[in-house]
Amino acid sequence: MSPEGSVNSPAKLATKNLSVFYGSFQAVIDVGIEFPACAITAIIGPSGCGKSTLLRSLNRMNELIEGAKIRGEILLDGKNIYQLNVLELRKRVGMVFQRPNAFPLSVFDNIAYGPRVHGINRRQKLTEIVERSLKAVRLWDELKDRLDQNALGLTDEQRQRLCIARMLAVEPEVLLLDEPCSALDPIATLHIEDLLRQLKEKYTIVIVTHNMQQAARVSDFTGFMLLGKLIEFGTTSQIFTRPQHPETENYISGRFG
Amino acid sequence: MKRRRIADRGVRVLFSVNAVLAAAVLLGILIFLLAYGIRAFIPAGAVDPEDPSTQPLTLGGFLFGASWNPDAYGQPEYGIVPLLLGSLITTVLALLIAIPMGIAGAVFIAERLRGGVRVAVKMAVELFAGFPSVVIGFFGLLVLGPALARVFNVPSGLNVLNASVLLALMSLPTIISVSDDALRVVPHSYREAAYALGASPWTTAIRVILPAARSGILAAVMLGFGRAVGETMAVLMVAGNAPIIPRSLFDPVRTITTTIAIELGESAFNSIHFFALFALGFILFLIALFTNLIAEALIRREKRSFTL
């Protein structure tokens, strides 16, 4: 798919009239958005606009917060995600967080964690998965001799790559990334962005970022959110060059946020 | 400004004095135990060759003797092996019961309970930690003992099993409470990461949270061990107290602590028997010291492998 692909391309994941509440506070208001398959969609907006909440509701991670509930629909391949087992959903829709949250285990055990949880225990199979996942994030050459080392001893960038590899190891279909580069330096950020461009050939990627340059560099589609509402959605080039709404224009031209 | 400096110095003196005082009291107890205990081994005062009860003990006979019988007609025996084994067997059995239950309970409280229920359950657990041991002893004597005797068809329910179960009950609250604290400080990001991979809450607890809280749980177990090995009253009431090496769960047993409690009152002041009980106290101190040192070393090793 070309970066100029139309918004009408087949949606892997979509929301319909989605509202998310934390107690009486409504963090996401009536959002309908379609995430096209094998493309990167960025969600941008100022802090507190509900973009992380939207992202976390896509694999039901928002439920970890007490009092969270949703109204509306979230569809994965056209099927309501609440009809799926939540563990199965999270296996298919993986997530990477703002801070690299590697487990205090060895590199190998970090990556093997997901497959083990899903019942793969044969050492040979796990070794294959670890190698494939580390190669996919281009960490294999750096770490192949240090698989037994505690993952907390890696650099920030290595750890964030490791977290992506750990997610890939359970063979998800959709990757959700919540500001994956905000704890990284600019060089590491570019490396991760390169990686995402490669990964989109196989995966549907949704990235939340407050870094507009990042959205412009890496994404094919962009949604702009403000105060819980999706203000505008379109191809990235359209959003950044010909925004339809004055609020979008104000935001991307740096007048607020 | 000046007043603040004086206040500052005052607080510092207050804290230092208290710290030194606490250390001094501990050291004092240690010296006292050692000074009294050692007199069981050196001839002091008159040794009457006709009276075996005035003969000083040999260290070997004390440490490796298989029989404890200070009131024997003829040659009294002061071998601590049955008492030492009594303490260790009841404590180890108690921990075998209390560790899995305690950790499971802590995982449940830390990972599954929220809000008011959590607070209430935790408070109840901690309340139970301060429960008077004599009351627990009553329970063992009047309820558990007869029940054990009936269920296992043995003549007496006052035995190793009864003592171990009571000790397990008494160390459970400590293990639960301290483990729960350890589990609670595991970063939330580990849970998020595991859930995002499709792990269930229980898998997350077992494969991520527990390993991450290892050193804190180890500390909880050591505190539980300390509680069990030092407990006197409840054990005294339900263990049967025959100073023999138990051959089964249904044999009576005598621990180090209960021996001191039982015999100190009836031993003649400044007799060999009297001093031997202090030597027992010193052994107890050494057990506590070594378990703490081991725990400390384990925890330190854990910490090293976890930080960067």
Side-chain angles (χ1 to χ4, degrees):
Chain A
M1 166 172 311
S2 77
E4 294 290 316
S6 85
V7 189
N8 299 326
S9 52
K12 177 75 184 171
L13 186 63
T15 70
K16 277 186 186 164
N17 301 328
L18 179 71
S19 292
V20 184
F21 302 83
Y22 294 128
S24 60
F25 173 71
Q26 187 169 5
V28 171
I29 303 164
D30 260 346
V31 167
I33 189 169
E34 297 191 342
F35 301 103
C38 296
I40 300 179
T41 305
I43 302 173
I44 60 171
S47 300
C49 70
K51 55 191 191 298
S52 283
T53 299
L54 174 64
L55 192 77
R56 280 162 177 263
S57 58
L58 298 177
N59 65 346
R60 296 178 59 182
M61 286 294 284
N62 61 325
E63 288 171 15
L64 298 188
I65 296 162
E66 218 170 328
K69 59 178 191 292
I70 75 151
R71 201 173 60 204
E73 279 184 302
I74 302 168
L75 305 169
L76 178 63
D77 287 332
K79 195 171 178 196
N80 192 323
I81 62 167
Y82 281 84
Q83 286 167 1
L84 296 169
N85 177 305
V86 63
L87 305 182
E88 176 65 20
L89 169 71
R90 288 179 184 152
K91 181 177 180 298
R92 291 174 63 188
V93 182
M95 183 168 237
V96 167
F97 300 83
Q98 196 165 350
R99 298 208 55 86
N101 54 359
F103 297 128
L105 305 170
S106 70
V107 170
F108 186 96
D109 288 336
N110 259 281
I111 302 202
Y113 180 86
R116 279 179 176 145
V117 160
H118 296 290
I120 297 172
N121 283 310
R122 268 185 43 234
R123 186 76 188 179
Q124 193 197 342
K125 179 77 181 156
L126 289 174
T127 311
E128 276 171 39
I129 292 174
V130 168
E131 180 172 344
R132 171 157 37 84
S133 308
L134 283 176
K135 277 182 174 159
V137 298
R138 284 176 287 163
L139 266 182
W140 177 250
D141 290 331
E142 282 168 67
L143 295 185
K144 64 174 182 243
D145 301 320
R146 294 153 68 192
L147 296 178
D148 294 332
Q149 191 189 319
N150 192 317
L152 296 190
L154 303 178
T155 66
D156 285 346
E157 183 190 342
Q158 286 173 327
R159 269 186 292 152
Q160 194 62 303
R161 280 174 186 269
L162 183 72
C163 290
I164 297 174
R166 183 176 62 185
M167 167 177 67
L168 297 181
V170 298
E171 297 175 10
E173 299 157 30
V174 180
L175 316 183
L176 307 177
L177 301 107
D178 190 357
E179 312 222 13
C181 299
S182 67
L184 303 182
D185 64 62
I187 306 285
T189 299
L190 291 178
H191 291 162
I192 298 285
E193 289 173 7
D194 274 347
L195 173 60
L196 294 181
R197 273 184 219 106
Q198 284 195 343
L199 290 175
K200 80 171 179 187
E201 291 179 4
K202 285 172 68 182
Y203 303 97
T204 303
I205 300 178
V206 184
I207 177 171
V208 157
T209 176
H210 59 220
N211 178 340
M212 278 179 291
Q213 284 73 32
Q214 180 167 63
R217 280 192 304 263
V218 80
S219 70
D220 304 310
F221 301 93
T222 297
F224 170 63
M225 286 184 75
L226 187 63
L227 297 173
K229 289 187 181 128
L230 181 68
I231 303 294
E232 189 166 352
F233 182 77
T235 64
T236 299
S237 61
Q238 183 248 308
I239 294 283
F240 279 88
T241 56
R242 302 182 304 278
Q244 305 294 306
H245 290 259
E247 284 131 326
T248 316
E249 191 176 356
N250 283 343
Y251 182 70
I252 61 171
S253 61
R255 240 167 279 170
F256 73 97
Chain B
M1 207 57 211
K2 201 166 178 196
R3 197 161 41 177
R4 188 185 291 176
R5 196 150 21 142
I6 292 169
D8 197 45
R9 180 169 303 169
V11 170
R12 200 163 60 196
V13 168
L14 189 72
F15 278 109
S16 322
V17 165
N18 279 304
V20 169
L21 215 61
V25 167
L26 272 180
L27 198 67
I29 292 176
L30 177 61
I31 291 172
F32 163 79
L33 277 179
L34 196 58
Y36 271 67
I38 210 154
R39 288 167 70 183
F41 303 98
I42 48 175
V47 176
D48 181 356
E50 296 296 304
D51 181 1
S53 73
T54 61
Q55 300 290 331
L57 312 178
T58 62
L59 194 58
F62 180 72
L63 290 179
F64 305 112
S67 168
W68 177 272
N69 190 0
D71 301 322
Y73 186 74
Q75 183 68 46
E77 293 172 298
Y78 293 96
I80 64 166
V81 170
L83 312 181
L84 199 60
L85 280 178
S87 278
L88 292 181
I89 288 170
T90 48
T91 303
V92 167
L93 279 177
L95 289 184
L96 282 182
I97 302 168
I99 290 173
M101 279 179 75
I103 293 178
V107 167
F108 181 74
I109 294 173
E111 303 294 313
R112 299 314 286 160
L113 296 185
R114 291 280 169 270
V117 183
R118 200 196 117 75
V119 174
V121 171
K122 180 102 195 225
M123 240 164 68
V125 168
E126 279 166 3
L127 195 71
F128 196 67
F131 218 57
S133 58
V134 68
V135 178
I136 296 176
F138 255 129
F139 167 76
L141 194 63
L142 297 178
V143 180
L144 191 58
L148 288 178
R150 199 166 322 125
V151 170
F152 293 102
N153 198 20
V154 286
S156 165
L158 303 183
N159 50 32
V160 176
L161 186 59
N162 195 333
S164 301
V165 169
L166 287 203
L167 286 178
L169 276 181
M170 297 173 72
S171 47
L172 251 181
T174 313
I175 295 180
I176 292 179
S177 180
V178 178
S179 299
D180 173 59
D181 292 340
L183 292 171
R184 293 264 291 167
V185 298
V186 172
H188 190 63
S189 63
Y190 293 168
R191 292 183 181 87
E192 279 190 330
Y195 290 150
L197 289 168
S200 70
W202 294 117
T203 323
T204 304
I206 292 166
R207 300 189 98 136
V208 174
I209 310 297
L210 277 178
R214 261 192 302 220
S215 60
I217 287 173
L218 196 65
V221 168
M222 293 323 294
L223 283 173
F225 177 89
R227 178 88 213 254
V229 85
E231 175 51 37
T232 310
M233 201 59 218
V235 179
L236 178 68
M237 292 167 78
V238 303
N241 298 325
I244 55 165
I245 298 173
R247 308 249 169 247
S248 86
L249 287 178
F250 306 109
D251 281 349
V253 66
R254 174 92 84 82
T255 66
I256 296 179
T257 50
T258 53
T259 303
I260 298 174
I262 292 169
E263 295 181 5
L264 195 58
E266 61 192 41
S267 68
F269 186 65
N270 280 358
S271 67
I272 294 292
H273 186 191
F274 181 80
F275 293 131
L277 294 177
F278 283 91
L280 274 186
F282 188 71
I283 297 289
L284 206 55
F285 175 86
L286 287 184
I287 293 175
L289 183 71
F290 275 111
T291 49
N292 269 310
L293 285 179
I294 292 168
E296 198 74 32
L298 285 175
I299 288 167
R300 201 167 315 133
R301 208 182 59 187
E302 282 296 318
K303 289 238 168 77
R304 248 211 316 274
S305 69
F306 267 94
T307 46
L308 301 184

